[in-house]
Amino acid sequence: MTDTPDRPNRLTYAEAGVDIDAGNALVDRIKPAAAATARAGSMAGIGGFAGLFDPRAAGYRDPVLVAATDGVGTKLRIAIDTGHVDGIGQDLVAMCVNDLICQGAEPLFFLDYFATGTLSVEVAARVVEGIARACSASGCALLGGETAEMPGMYADGDFDLAGFAVGAVEREGLMPRATRPGDALLGLASDGVHSNGYSLVRRTVSRAGLDWASRSPFDDPAASLGEALLRPTRLYVRPVLDSRGQAMRAACHVTGGGLTENLPRVLSPGTGAEIDLDAIPLPPVFDWLIRTAGLAQGEALRTYNCGIGMVLAVAPEEAEALAERLANTHGERVVMLGRVSDGEGVSYCGTLG
């Protein structure tokens, strides 16, 4: 269709709020970051209608595909308000790939969804470049994604994120395996609040009369509160995949619901968990959040990770050797957290902090 005197082109898509040129500029900018994540099995770069991956080229014989999706929750609000968006991409990747490894799966590829009212190429690129760095650290390819510019749906400067990860595991390597009373529970330390409980974090900060630029009341005095609370979710992919074997029965990513709600998801029927809270060195951020909000211990344990981001159930005779390997090879801070017990659910002894 061509413009005619009786049908002039009076309105453009850009005038309606969608800038196609900005979207193309973003794709051009992030292509190198995505290309740097290529791994065995990757078949094409970003820009097509769909991403391609060949599991056979990745070395799999009889793979079971494992998929996970997640977002970053209201932690995103802090990142947007402070402008510190570079680490939020790691949160997005970690929330997905840390779930995959609990099934014994190796992350193969990742896709992201970035939605905003008005596209800022600079902001979106910083987010996606963070996603690419986390993908590289996790050994998975950033295979593609979607950028949606939706004027009227988001306030000025706001955006939202979702992530999608696919992994694979040989059929005989699927987890969790059967847990048994007496199995040891190893806790791998978190790097802070990670990406759950931030609605309560934000309410607590407001009640304390602080803002994101305030000096952190619990961390490095040189860091602002916003920076301290934006520490990215820790990536557990390499240490957990390196620990796979018959000695490891199960892995549990401690997300929303904390230890209380997440551990039962990977324990066999008829088995529960006994946790020694005195063994957990409570990080200062949680001590401050619990005291400032006046949280009961049970509420804290159902809301936050409280310093433990991943739990491994392992054969008791292998626990000490595995803990040493995790510490020495991968730099993990490992806690002898407790044991698998008879019965079901999670029971605690001791006191947080």
Side-chain angles (χ1 to χ4, degrees):
M1 182 184 297
T2 60
D3 292 332
T4 63
D6 62 321
R7 200 201 307 266
N9 187 12
R10 298 184 184 277
L11 187 63
T12 66
Y13 205 7
E15 289 172 329
V18 179
D19 189 342
I20 295 174
D21 291 335
N24 292 336
L26 175 62
V27 171
D28 288 340
R29 173 159 169 182
I30 64 176
K31 275 184 177 178
T37 70
R39 52 152 294 158
S42 301
M43 294 181 63
I46 63 172
F49 285 101
L52 306 175
F53 193 93
D54 181 358
R56 187 171 297 177
Y60 285 91
R61 297 174 289 99
D62 183 24
V64 174
L65 295 182
V66 183
T69 182
D70 213 332
V72 212
T74 59
K75 185 176 187 176
L76 196 57
R77 181 75 265 158
I78 306 175
I80 292 170
D81 289 349
T82 62
H84 296 301
V85 300
D86 300 86
I88 209 76
Q90 177 168 322
D91 287 299
L92 186 66
V93 173
M95 292 303 289
C96 296
V97 297
N98 285 347
D99 281 354
L100 290 185
I101 58 178
C102 294
Q103 308 294 149
E106 173 195 15
L108 299 178
F109 58 85
F110 189 87
L111 299 99
D112 69 278
Y113 176 77
F114 181 102
T116 187
T118 301
L119 180 62
S120 164
V121 173
E122 176 64 24
V123 169
R126 287 164 60 195
V127 171
V128 176
E129 286 161 0
I131 290 171
R133 288 191 296 271
C135 284
S136 291
S138 303
C140 66
L142 178 54
L143 207 57
E146 174 69 12
T147 303
E149 192 172 17
M150 299 189 289
M153 290 292 291
Y154 296 90
D156 188 40
D158 280 359
F159 61 88
D160 200 7
L161 288 173
F164 312 85
V166 174
V169 56
E170 296 290 3
R171 196 172 301 272
E172 65 270 18
L174 273 168
M175 287 174 46
R177 301 185 179 93
T179 54
R180 308 163 189 170
D183 284 346
L185 296 174
L186 303 183
L188 307 188
S190 68
D191 282 344
V193 186
H194 285 181
S195 297
N196 295 102
Y198 272 85
S199 293
L200 181 55
V201 168
R202 291 165 52 238
R203 178 68 65 88
T204 303
V205 169
S206 176
R207 286 184 60 179
L210 301 174
D211 59 33
W212 308 131
S214 301
R215 178 168 290 185
S216 169
F218 55 80
D219 223 338
D220 182 349
S224 71
L225 179 57
E227 290 171 319
L229 289 171
L230 283 170
R231 285 220 173 96
T233 306
R234 189 171 182 85
L235 295 161
Y236 295 102
V237 173
R238 297 194 188 277
V240 172
L241 293 184
D242 185 47
S243 302
R244 288 179 300 181
Q246 292 303 313
M248 188 167 78
R249 323 278 202 216
C252 169
H253 185 200
V254 184
T255 55
L259 290 166
T260 304
E261 301 292 338
N262 285 291
L263 261 177
R265 298 169 65 186
V266 301
L267 299 176
S268 299
T271 64
E274 295 176 353
I275 302 296
D276 179 10
L277 296 178
D278 291 329
I280 302 175
L282 188 68
V285 59
F286 294 112
D287 180 63
W288 182 80
L289 286 168
I290 291 168
R291 286 188 296 101
T292 305
L295 289 186
Q297 180 169 278
E299 183 70 7
L301 288 164
R302 291 184 71 233
T303 304
Y304 299 126
N305 68 62
C306 293
I308 301 296
M310 181 72 66
V311 179
L312 307 181
V314 302
E317 66 274 11
E318 300 289 341
E320 188 172 336
L322 179 55
E324 289 182 5
R325 186 163 77 246
L326 287 164
N328 296 334
T329 303
H330 297 284
E332 294 296 325
R333 294 156 287 155
V334 185
V335 174
M336 294 292 185
L337 197 59
R339 61 185 291 275
V340 175
S341 61
D342 287 310
E344 297 187 347
V346 180
S347 62
Y348 298 101
C349 65
T351 306
L352 273 176

